[in-house]
Amino acid sequence: MTLRPEKQSMKERILETADRLFYLRGIRAVGVDTIAAEVGISKRTLYNHFPSKDELIAAYLQGRFNKAPPSDKPPIEQILGTFDRLERGFASKGFRGCPFVNAVAELGSEDKSVKKIAIAFKESRRIWFRDLLLKLDVPDPEGLATQLTLLVDGSIAQDLVRDDPSMARAAKEAARVLLGNAGVGIVGRDGGNTAGAAKKRSSSRRTRRPPDV
Amino acid sequence: MTLRPEKQSMKERILETADRLFYLRGIRAVGVDTIAAEVGISKRTLYNHFPSKDELIAAYLQGRFNKAPPSDKPPIEQILGTFDRLERGFASKGFRGCPFVNAVAELGSEDKSVKKIAIAFKESRRIWFRDLLLKLDVPDPEGLATQLTLLVDGSIAQDLVRDDPSMARAAKEAARVLLGNAGVGIVGRDGGNTAGAAKKRSSSRRTRRPPDV
DNA sequence: GCCTAATTACACAGATCGGTGTAATCAAGG
DNA sequence: CCTTGATTACACCGATCTGTGTAATTAGGC
């Protein structure tokens, strides 16, 4: 009966489907019945693994907490590479903004646990930037790290409404300026200039998975 | 019976209440019954003024389209002043992020009209920045305007999840660097340095109206 | 074969959703 | 006074929501 390996546990299957639907259509817009039907299980089974939708939501956001893969590349490349990965994410078909920001926007200040997870995620990214900046001996790693997160979240929000992956490139150029201002030497500018980046209203949206946010 | 002037029309009263509830609690989270009850009218009256909730949502977002007051102050002050107003907005009690981003995040790609309004708003702000930058004769007003909008939206998203109005200051400092890099002379840095701005995890939230986004 | 645990189908509860139909009431202006 | 239009109360629709109760069915390990 098991046509394919099916190494996933039931809980994983539920969580995977919930992740996809919550992220793509919105948390409030997706009911537990829809999730159960999509997984191909009964609603009862779903509730056997997650006591409530709220817990499923929390698990969904926890699962979005990325596994930032450690890299041995130079810090400056890692920092700027963030925006390249961001641009690929924007261009992927299923991109729908930052799941944490979206969740907070949807569920408001009612759900405290959701906000806590969102805060933790945002802070983790800021710390990731900061630790890289520490290696670069910039004057103010804390403040610069915060500014870089602003560019990240700003480009995400802009792409969410505009569907314009070039926002990531604009953010990258701004990041380069901020880094340069902090005394970090400019590293290989890629291809074209960034002028009029907002003009190339790309209508691409290829078929890739949303890598990370 | 009219204790106070009551110069508002019925439609305005409905829209005002809808705006407050939609923005504060989320669009999907607020039903038409709730809005009617809050206004103190019957649901029938509400539907006499707005044929559907979707139209009410559209009117809500249209109403958020700000009236950018023309100013005769120097462009550079207007640009940087944006972040000051942003910080005041963040510190106000009812601030809950960008209504347009929130709406797109909530309603997803289903509602086309909502997305159109959101795009128009974001673009209008970019144009506002660009026109000011044109007066400053910067090399790339289009690209720089885009970058400034990234800082604006980034700080809004960050404040939404962190409740930290200092994000606006961090954005302002970054904007100053970007402007300086474009050849615009530094204008009066205010008070303290921007270092560790992310540290002053303000728990303020005063009682003010959300001015604009 | 048997025990245990998971999963199933399915009905149902209680609430809320957007939206409508209807008839009574109210207010204002001619 | 009378007419007209707005507003009211209120019942109701069908759909959907989260969550539960229950009894039958399945599958695997001993």
Side-chain angles (χ1 to χ4, degrees), chain A residues 76 78-84 86 129 133 136 138 144-145 147-152 155 167-187 189 194, chain B residues 147 150-151 174 177-178 181:
Chain A
I76 181 74
Q78 291 191 55
I79 292 175
L80 292 179
T82 299
F83 297 95
D84 296 328
L86 220 45
F129 275 132
L133 291 171
L136 292 174
V138 299
L144 185 49
Q147 292 175 349
L148 290 175
T149 66
L150 297 184
L151 291 173
V152 170
S155 62
M167 288 298 156
R169 300 187 70 80
K172 187 180 183 179
E173 289 308 313
R176 242 194 277 262
V177 173
L178 294 181
L179 287 168
N181 180 73
V184 178
I186 301 295
V187 286
R189 319 188 90 226
T194 184
Chain B
Q147 292 175 349
L150 297 185
L151 291 174
V177 173
L178 295 181
N181 181 72

Short mmCIF file of all heavy atoms in Angstrom, two decimals, chain A residues 76 78-84 86 129 133 136 138 144-145 147-152 155 167-187 189 194, chain B residues 147 150-151 174 177-178 181:
data_model
loop_
_atom_site.label_atom_id
_atom_site.label_comp_id
_atom_site.label_asym_id
_atom_site.label_seq_id
_atom_site.Cartn_x
_atom_site.Cartn_y
_atom_site.Cartn_z
N ILE A 76 31.61 39.21 4.55
CA ILE A 76 31.03 40.18 3.63
C ILE A 76 30.22 39.50 2.53
O ILE A 76 29.15 39.96 2.14
CB ILE A 76 32.15 41.06 3.00
CG1 ILE A 76 31.54 42.11 2.06
CG2 ILE A 76 33.16 40.23 2.27
CD1 ILE A 76 30.86 43.21 2.78
N GLN A 78 28.82 36.55 2.85
CA GLN A 78 27.63 35.99 3.49
C GLN A 78 26.54 37.04 3.64
O GLN A 78 25.36 36.79 3.40
CB GLN A 78 27.99 35.42 4.87
CG GLN A 78 28.86 34.17 4.81
CD GLN A 78 28.97 33.50 6.18
OE1 GLN A 78 27.96 33.17 6.80
NE2 GLN A 78 30.19 33.31 6.65
N ILE A 79 26.97 38.22 4.05
CA ILE A 79 25.99 39.30 4.25
C ILE A 79 25.31 39.67 2.94
O ILE A 79 24.08 39.68 2.83
CB ILE A 79 26.67 40.54 4.88
CG1 ILE A 79 27.11 40.24 6.31
CG2 ILE A 79 25.73 41.73 4.83
CD1 ILE A 79 27.90 41.35 6.97
N LEU A 80 26.14 39.94 1.93
CA LEU A 80 25.56 40.35 0.65
C LEU A 80 24.83 39.18 -0.02
O LEU A 80 23.85 39.38 -0.74
CB LEU A 80 26.64 40.90 -0.27
CG LEU A 80 27.25 42.23 0.19
CD1 LEU A 80 28.33 42.70 -0.77
CD2 LEU A 80 26.17 43.29 0.34
N GLY A 81 25.33 37.98 0.24
CA GLY A 81 24.67 36.81 -0.33
C GLY A 81 23.25 36.64 0.17
O GLY A 81 22.40 36.05 -0.52
N THR A 82 23.01 37.18 1.35
CA THR A 82 21.64 37.13 1.89
C THR A 82 20.64 37.73 0.90
O THR A 82 19.55 37.19 0.68
CB THR A 82 21.57 37.92 3.21
OG1 THR A 82 22.45 37.32 4.15
CG2 THR A 82 20.15 37.92 3.76
N PHE A 83 21.04 38.82 0.30
CA PHE A 83 20.12 39.52 -0.60
C PHE A 83 19.98 38.78 -1.94
O PHE A 83 18.95 38.89 -2.60
CB PHE A 83 20.59 40.95 -0.81
CG PHE A 83 20.59 41.76 0.46
CD1 PHE A 83 21.75 41.89 1.22
CD2 PHE A 83 19.43 42.36 0.91
CE1 PHE A 83 21.75 42.62 2.40
CE2 PHE A 83 19.41 43.09 2.09
CZ PHE A 83 20.58 43.22 2.84
N ASP A 84 21.01 38.04 -2.30
CA ASP A 84 20.88 37.21 -3.51
C ASP A 84 19.88 36.09 -3.28
O ASP A 84 19.03 35.81 -4.12
CB ASP A 84 22.25 36.62 -3.89
CG ASP A 84 23.25 37.71 -4.27
OD1 ASP A 84 22.80 38.74 -4.81
OD2 ASP A 84 24.45 37.53 -4.02
N LEU A 86 17.59 36.18 -1.16
CA LEU A 86 16.30 36.86 -1.05
C LEU A 86 15.69 37.07 -2.43
O LEU A 86 14.51 36.81 -2.65
CB LEU A 86 16.51 38.21 -0.36
CG LEU A 86 15.47 38.67 0.65
CD1 LEU A 86 15.06 37.57 1.59
CD2 LEU A 86 15.99 39.87 1.43
N PHE A 129 23.53 38.77 11.56
CA PHE A 129 24.24 39.88 10.92
C PHE A 129 25.31 40.45 11.85
O PHE A 129 26.45 40.67 11.44
CB PHE A 129 23.25 41.00 10.55
CG PHE A 129 22.56 40.81 9.23
CD1 PHE A 129 21.19 40.97 9.12
CD2 PHE A 129 23.27 40.49 8.08
CE1 PHE A 129 20.55 40.79 7.89
CE2 PHE A 129 22.64 40.32 6.86
CZ PHE A 129 21.28 40.46 6.77
N LEU A 133 29.33 40.95 11.34
CA LEU A 133 29.91 42.30 11.35
C LEU A 133 31.02 42.41 12.39
O LEU A 133 31.96 43.19 12.21
CB LEU A 133 28.81 43.33 11.62
CG LEU A 133 27.80 43.52 10.49
CD1 LEU A 133 26.63 44.39 10.95
CD2 LEU A 133 28.47 44.14 9.26
N LEU A 136 34.20 41.76 11.04
CA LEU A 136 34.68 42.78 10.11
C LEU A 136 35.16 44.04 10.84
O LEU A 136 35.62 44.99 10.20
CB LEU A 136 33.54 43.17 9.13
CG LEU A 136 33.14 42.07 8.14
CD1 LEU A 136 31.93 42.51 7.34
CD2 LEU A 136 34.30 41.74 7.21
N VAL A 138 33.64 46.47 12.32
CA VAL A 138 32.99 47.74 12.01
C VAL A 138 32.77 48.50 13.32
O VAL A 138 32.72 47.88 14.39
CB VAL A 138 31.65 47.53 11.28
CG1 VAL A 138 31.88 46.81 9.96
CG2 VAL A 138 30.68 46.77 12.15
N LEU A 144 24.46 48.65 12.81
CA LEU A 144 24.51 48.28 11.39
C LEU A 144 23.72 47.00 11.13
O LEU A 144 23.05 46.88 10.09
CB LEU A 144 25.97 48.13 10.95
CG LEU A 144 26.21 47.85 9.46
CD1 LEU A 144 25.43 48.82 8.59
CD2 LEU A 144 27.70 47.92 9.13
N ALA A 145 23.81 46.08 12.07
CA ALA A 145 23.03 44.84 11.91
C ALA A 145 21.54 45.16 11.87
O ALA A 145 20.79 44.62 11.05
CB ALA A 145 23.34 43.88 13.05
N GLN A 147 20.20 47.92 10.87
CA GLN A 147 19.91 48.56 9.59
C GLN A 147 19.81 47.54 8.46
O GLN A 147 18.98 47.68 7.56
CB GLN A 147 20.98 49.61 9.29
CG GLN A 147 20.94 50.80 10.24
CD GLN A 147 22.09 51.77 10.01
OE1 GLN A 147 23.04 51.47 9.29
NE2 GLN A 147 22.00 52.94 10.63
N LEU A 148 20.65 46.53 8.52
CA LEU A 148 20.59 45.50 7.47
C LEU A 148 19.27 44.74 7.55
O LEU A 148 18.67 44.40 6.52
CB LEU A 148 21.77 44.53 7.62
CG LEU A 148 23.14 45.13 7.27
CD1 LEU A 148 24.24 44.12 7.56
CD2 LEU A 148 23.19 45.57 5.81
N THR A 149 18.81 44.49 8.77
CA THR A 149 17.51 43.81 8.88
C THR A 149 16.38 44.67 8.34
O THR A 149 15.40 44.16 7.80
CB THR A 149 17.20 43.44 10.34
OG1 THR A 149 17.01 44.63 11.10
CG2 THR A 149 18.30 42.61 10.94
N LEU A 150 16.53 45.97 8.48
CA LEU A 150 15.52 46.86 7.91
C LEU A 150 15.46 46.70 6.40
O LEU A 150 14.37 46.67 5.81
CB LEU A 150 15.82 48.33 8.26
CG LEU A 150 15.79 48.70 9.74
CD1 LEU A 150 16.00 50.20 9.91
CD2 LEU A 150 14.49 48.29 10.38
N LEU A 151 16.63 46.59 5.78
CA LEU A 151 16.66 46.41 4.33
C LEU A 151 16.05 45.07 3.93
O LEU A 151 15.33 44.98 2.93
CB LEU A 151 18.10 46.52 3.82
CG LEU A 151 18.71 47.92 3.91
CD1 LEU A 151 20.19 47.89 3.54
CD2 LEU A 151 17.97 48.91 3.03
N VAL A 152 16.35 44.07 4.72
CA VAL A 152 15.78 42.74 4.42
C VAL A 152 14.26 42.78 4.51
O VAL A 152 13.55 42.43 3.56
CB VAL A 152 16.35 41.68 5.38
CG1 VAL A 152 15.58 40.37 5.24
CG2 VAL A 152 17.83 41.46 5.11
N SER A 155 12.59 45.00 1.83
CA SER A 155 12.48 44.42 0.49
C SER A 155 11.44 43.31 0.47
O SER A 155 10.74 43.14 -0.52
CB SER A 155 13.85 43.88 0.05
OG SER A 155 14.30 42.86 0.91
N MET A 167 13.59 44.35 -5.87
CA MET A 167 13.69 45.02 -4.58
C MET A 167 14.87 44.47 -3.77
O MET A 167 15.49 45.19 -3.00
CB MET A 167 12.39 44.84 -3.79
CG MET A 167 11.24 45.64 -4.36
SD MET A 167 11.56 47.42 -4.30
CE MET A 167 10.48 48.00 -5.60
N ALA A 168 15.15 43.19 -3.96
CA ALA A 168 16.28 42.59 -3.25
C ALA A 168 17.60 43.20 -3.74
O ALA A 168 18.53 43.41 -2.96
CB ALA A 168 16.28 41.08 -3.46
N ARG A 169 17.66 43.50 -5.02
CA ARG A 169 18.88 44.10 -5.55
C ARG A 169 19.04 45.53 -5.02
O ARG A 169 20.14 45.96 -4.69
CB ARG A 169 18.83 44.12 -7.09
CG ARG A 169 18.72 42.73 -7.71
CD ARG A 169 18.85 42.80 -9.23
NE ARG A 169 20.18 43.13 -9.66
CZ ARG A 169 21.18 42.25 -9.72
NH1 ARG A 169 20.98 41.01 -9.35
NH2 ARG A 169 22.38 42.63 -10.13
N ALA A 170 17.94 46.25 -4.96
CA ALA A 170 18.00 47.60 -4.40
C ALA A 170 18.48 47.55 -2.95
O ALA A 170 19.30 48.37 -2.53
CB ALA A 170 16.63 48.27 -4.49
N ALA A 171 17.98 46.56 -2.22
CA ALA A 171 18.40 46.41 -0.83
C ALA A 171 19.88 46.07 -0.76
O ALA A 171 20.62 46.57 0.10
CB ALA A 171 17.57 45.33 -0.14
N LYS A 172 20.33 45.24 -1.68
CA LYS A 172 21.73 44.85 -1.69
C LYS A 172 22.63 46.06 -1.94
O LYS A 172 23.67 46.21 -1.29
CB LYS A 172 21.96 43.78 -2.77
CG LYS A 172 23.36 43.18 -2.75
CD LYS A 172 23.50 42.13 -3.85
CE LYS A 172 24.87 41.46 -3.78
NZ LYS A 172 25.02 40.40 -4.83
N GLU A 173 22.23 46.90 -2.87
CA GLU A 173 23.02 48.09 -3.15
C GLU A 173 23.08 49.00 -1.93
O GLU A 173 24.13 49.55 -1.60
CB GLU A 173 22.43 48.84 -4.35
CG GLU A 173 22.64 48.14 -5.68
CD GLU A 173 24.10 47.78 -5.90
OE1 GLU A 173 24.97 48.65 -5.69
OE2 GLU A 173 24.37 46.61 -6.25
N ALA A 174 21.95 49.15 -1.28
CA ALA A 174 21.92 49.97 -0.07
C ALA A 174 22.82 49.36 1.01
O ALA A 174 23.55 50.07 1.69
CB ALA A 174 20.48 50.09 0.44
N ALA A 175 22.77 48.05 1.12
CA ALA A 175 23.62 47.37 2.11
C ALA A 175 25.09 47.63 1.81
O ALA A 175 25.90 47.84 2.71
CB ALA A 175 23.31 45.87 2.10
N ARG A 176 25.42 47.60 0.53
CA ARG A 176 26.81 47.86 0.14
C ARG A 176 27.25 49.25 0.58
O ARG A 176 28.36 49.43 1.07
CB ARG A 176 26.96 47.71 -1.38
CG ARG A 176 27.91 46.60 -1.77
CD ARG A 176 28.29 46.72 -3.22
NE ARG A 176 27.30 46.12 -4.10
CZ ARG A 176 27.40 44.90 -4.59
NH1 ARG A 176 28.43 44.13 -4.28
NH2 ARG A 176 26.49 44.42 -5.41
N VAL A 177 26.35 50.20 0.40
CA VAL A 177 26.69 51.57 0.81
C VAL A 177 26.88 51.65 2.31
O VAL A 177 27.84 52.26 2.79
CB VAL A 177 25.58 52.56 0.35
CG1 VAL A 177 25.85 53.95 0.92
CG2 VAL A 177 25.50 52.60 -1.17
N LEU A 178 25.99 51.01 3.04
CA LEU A 178 26.10 51.05 4.50
C LEU A 178 27.39 50.38 4.96
O LEU A 178 28.07 50.87 5.87
CB LEU A 178 24.89 50.35 5.13
CG LEU A 178 23.53 51.03 4.91
CD1 LEU A 178 22.42 50.26 5.61
CD2 LEU A 178 23.55 52.47 5.37
N LEU A 179 27.72 49.26 4.32
CA LEU A 179 28.96 48.57 4.68
C LEU A 179 30.17 49.42 4.33
O LEU A 179 31.13 49.52 5.11
CB LEU A 179 29.02 47.22 3.95
CG LEU A 179 28.08 46.15 4.48
CD1 LEU A 179 28.01 44.95 3.53
CD2 LEU A 179 28.51 45.69 5.86
N GLY A 180 30.12 50.03 3.14
CA GLY A 180 31.22 50.89 2.74
C GLY A 180 31.40 52.04 3.71
O GLY A 180 32.54 52.38 4.10
N ASN A 181 30.32 52.60 4.13
CA ASN A 181 30.36 53.71 5.08
C ASN A 181 30.95 53.28 6.42
O ASN A 181 31.51 54.08 7.15
CB ASN A 181 28.95 54.26 5.29
CG ASN A 181 28.93 55.42 6.26
OD1 ASN A 181 29.37 56.52 5.93
ND2 ASN A 181 28.43 55.20 7.46
N ALA A 182 30.83 51.99 6.71
CA ALA A 182 31.37 51.46 7.97
C ALA A 182 32.83 51.04 7.81
O ALA A 182 33.41 50.48 8.73
CB ALA A 182 30.53 50.28 8.44
N GLY A 183 33.38 51.29 6.64
CA GLY A 183 34.80 51.00 6.44
C GLY A 183 35.08 49.67 5.80
O GLY A 183 36.24 49.29 5.61
N VAL A 184 34.03 48.96 5.43
CA VAL A 184 34.24 47.67 4.78
C VAL A 184 34.43 47.90 3.28
O VAL A 184 33.60 48.53 2.64
CB VAL A 184 33.03 46.74 4.99
CG1 VAL A 184 33.25 45.43 4.27
CG2 VAL A 184 32.79 46.52 6.47
N GLY A 185 35.55 47.39 2.77
CA GLY A 185 35.86 47.60 1.36
C GLY A 185 34.81 46.99 0.46
O GLY A 185 34.21 45.97 0.76
N ILE A 186 34.58 47.68 -0.64
CA ILE A 186 33.60 47.18 -1.60
C ILE A 186 34.10 45.89 -2.21
O ILE A 186 35.24 45.77 -2.64
CB ILE A 186 33.39 48.21 -2.73
CG1 ILE A 186 32.90 49.52 -2.13
CG2 ILE A 186 32.39 47.69 -3.74
CD1 ILE A 186 31.57 49.44 -1.47
N VAL A 187 33.23 44.93 -2.25
CA VAL A 187 33.56 43.67 -2.92
C VAL A 187 32.73 43.54 -4.18
O VAL A 187 31.60 43.99 -4.25
CB VAL A 187 33.29 42.47 -1.99
CG1 VAL A 187 34.33 42.40 -0.93
CG2 VAL A 187 31.90 42.55 -1.42
N ARG A 189 31.19 44.24 -7.32
CA ARG A 189 29.84 44.60 -7.73
C ARG A 189 29.45 43.67 -8.87
O ARG A 189 30.23 43.42 -9.78
CB ARG A 189 29.77 46.04 -8.23
CG ARG A 189 30.58 47.00 -7.41
CD ARG A 189 30.28 48.43 -7.89
NE ARG A 189 29.17 48.97 -7.15
CZ ARG A 189 28.15 49.62 -7.68
NH1 ARG A 189 28.07 49.76 -8.98
NH2 ARG A 189 27.18 50.10 -6.94
N THR A 194 22.86 49.65 -10.28
CA THR A 194 21.59 49.45 -9.60
C THR A 194 20.59 50.53 -9.96
O THR A 194 19.46 50.54 -9.50
CB THR A 194 21.80 49.45 -8.08
OG1 THR A 194 20.55 49.17 -7.46
CG2 THR A 194 22.30 50.80 -7.63
N GLN B 147 15.35 52.71 -2.36
CA GLN B 147 16.05 52.29 -1.15
C GLN B 147 15.46 52.93 0.10
O GLN B 147 15.38 52.31 1.16
CB GLN B 147 17.54 52.64 -1.28
CG GLN B 147 18.24 51.81 -2.35
CD GLN B 147 19.68 52.23 -2.57
OE1 GLN B 147 20.11 53.29 -2.08
NE2 GLN B 147 20.43 51.43 -3.31
N LEU B 150 12.51 51.11 1.17
CA LEU B 150 12.86 49.87 1.85
C LEU B 150 13.09 50.12 3.34
O LEU B 150 12.66 49.33 4.18
CB LEU B 150 14.12 49.25 1.22
CG LEU B 150 14.02 48.81 -0.23
CD1 LEU B 150 15.31 48.12 -0.66
CD2 LEU B 150 12.84 47.89 -0.43
N LEU B 151 13.75 51.24 3.63
CA LEU B 151 13.99 51.56 5.04
C LEU B 151 12.69 51.87 5.76
O LEU B 151 12.50 51.46 6.91
CB LEU B 151 14.95 52.76 5.13
CG LEU B 151 16.39 52.47 4.68
CD1 LEU B 151 17.22 53.74 4.67
CD2 LEU B 151 17.02 51.42 5.58
N ALA B 174 20.37 55.17 8.64
CA ALA B 174 20.72 54.52 7.37
C ALA B 174 20.40 55.43 6.20
O ALA B 174 21.19 55.55 5.25
CB ALA B 174 19.96 53.20 7.23
N VAL B 177 23.05 57.97 5.75
CA VAL B 177 24.24 57.43 5.08
C VAL B 177 24.02 57.33 3.58
O VAL B 177 24.88 57.69 2.78
CB VAL B 177 24.60 56.04 5.66
CG1 VAL B 177 25.72 55.39 4.86
CG2 VAL B 177 24.99 56.16 7.12
N LEU B 178 22.86 56.84 3.20
CA LEU B 178 22.57 56.71 1.77
C LEU B 178 22.55 58.07 1.09
O LEU B 178 23.08 58.23 -0.02
CB LEU B 178 21.21 56.01 1.57
CG LEU B 178 21.12 54.55 2.04
CD1 LEU B 178 19.74 53.98 1.76
CD2 LEU B 178 22.20 53.68 1.38
N ASN B 181 26.07 59.35 0.81
CA ASN B 181 26.77 58.64 -0.26
C ASN B 181 26.37 59.17 -1.64
O ASN B 181 27.13 59.08 -2.60
CB ASN B 181 26.44 57.15 -0.19
CG ASN B 181 27.15 56.36 -1.27
OD1 ASN B 181 28.36 56.17 -1.21
ND2 ASN B 181 26.40 55.92 -2.27
#
